[in-house]
Amino acid sequence: DSPRPQVLIFQNVAPFDKDVVQRSAISRRGRFELLRKLGIVSARLAKRVIFISDFARDFILPQLGIDAAKVRRIYMGRDLRFNPEARAGSDAIAARLGIHHPYFLSVSQFYFYKNFVELVIGFARARRAISANVELVIAGEEHEKDYAELVRRTAVREGVADCVRMVGQVPYTDLPALYAGAELFVFPSACENFPNILIEGMASGIPTISSNRASMPELAGDGACYFDPFEPDEIAAQIVRLWHDSHAREDLRRRGLARCERYTWGQTARETLRLFEELV
């Protein structure tokens, strides 16, 4: 027991998602179960529990066995370096990474529930109806090596290995330019709490299409268009529609920028401070 009041923040939904756990490799299920149990115990000991999305609160809270009165939802903020002006540096970053304009972008660490396989299949199907020189760039550390290899094999099987660029972990300082230089940002993950990556894509002034699962519709609102992340045909359809409709792309870009205005670290800090004051 701590002599000071404890406040717990839930960052990761995956250990509480039975579908994610069941679909994961057997060797990883034990880690998920341990994290879930530690989360439950920690939540019961804490004086306050913070969730960073309504989705996560509503999804995890029933599994905790705690009083809802000690729970708060506080959104995270956004990094102001992610903005349309960052496009000025996109040519240099693209040259450094060996990618070419135009490109679509997806950013996330490699875990199977990020649904990169479905994204590659959707991209391959969309490519038949769009300019053949478009590349799909996937940036992120390959934590699950076996899954990364599956994504590569899928690109080969679908005939798009020459235009799918898996560039690995990109330094954070380079990401704003990489985002801003993209023609389209695609976020196919099926399990998220508060995906900063989705906010960064919209804040960069890039038309954004996203998975319709988890917290994504809550956070992106009308600033993104949505697809079922397990249906490559839906991913392909959104890509093709936006590629051929410049007015829709511009409208989506504006709505994404407007949506991001609500996520500020100042607001996060003020709400967190008010929660701390409850415990004084």
Side-chain angles (χ1 to χ4, degrees), residues 178-195:
L178 183 64
Y179 275 96
E183 300 299 318
L184 187 69
F185 185 72
V186 190
F187 191 70
S189 179
C191 179
E192 298 290 339
N193 189 346
F194 186 101

Side-chain angles (χ1 to χ4, degrees), residues 12-25 28-29 32 59 111-114 144 190-192 230:
N12 193 352
V13 173
F16 294 88
D17 189 322
K18 293 181 180 178
D19 181 61
V20 169
V21 174
Q22 290 172 358
R23 289 171 57 214
S24 65
R28 299 184 181 111
R29 293 178 190 173
F32 277 135
F59 188 73
Y111 296 107
F112 73 91
Y113 56 82
K114 301 296 185 174
E144 293 185 354
C191 179
E192 298 290 339
F230 297 103

Side-chain angles (χ1 to χ4, degrees), residues 158-202:
E158 297 294 324
V160 291
D162 61 328
C163 54
V164 173
R165 307 287 182 224
M166 294 167 57
V167 298
Q169 185 77 26
V170 176
Y172 190 74
T173 53
D174 291 343
L175 281 175
L178 183 64
Y179 275 96
E183 300 299 318
L184 187 69
F185 185 72
V186 190
F187 191 70
S189 179
C191 179
E192 298 290 339
N193 189 346
F194 186 101
N196 300 82
I197 290 167
L198 178 60
I199 307 304
E200 290 165 356
M202 295 188 298

Side-chain angles (χ1 to χ4, degrees), residues 42-140:
S42 298
R44 292 176 180 176
L45 292 174
K47 294 297 183 182
R48 293 289 185 274
V49 175
I50 297 175
F51 291 102
I52 53 179
S53 66
D54 289 335
F55 163 79
R57 178 197 62 207
D58 296 342
F59 188 73
I60 297 176
L61 181 58
Q63 303 181 50
L64 299 180
I66 64 173
D67 186 349
K70 72 175 187 179
V71 168
R72 301 289 184 275
R73 190 272 290 145
I74 301 176
Y75 287 137
M76 298 174 71
R78 74 185 192 282
D79 189 329
L80 297 179
R81 287 175 291 184
F82 292 87
N83 61 70
E85 287 70 34
R87 189 179 179 91
S90 65
D91 287 343
I93 297 301
R96 190 183 310 160
L97 296 174
I99 61 181
H100 305 90
H101 295 281
Y103 63 87
F104 304 147
L105 178 66
S106 191
V107 177
S108 199
Q109 297 175 340
F110 274 72
Y111 296 107
F112 73 91
Y113 56 82
K114 301 296 185 174
N115 285 41
F116 287 138
V117 166
E118 290 80 1
L119 171 59
V120 168
I121 296 171
F123 171 72
R125 293 175 183 176
R127 192 166 176 261
R128 301 167 191 156
I130 62 178
S131 176
N133 66 343
V134 178
E135 295 184 347
L136 171 64
V137 176
I138 305 176

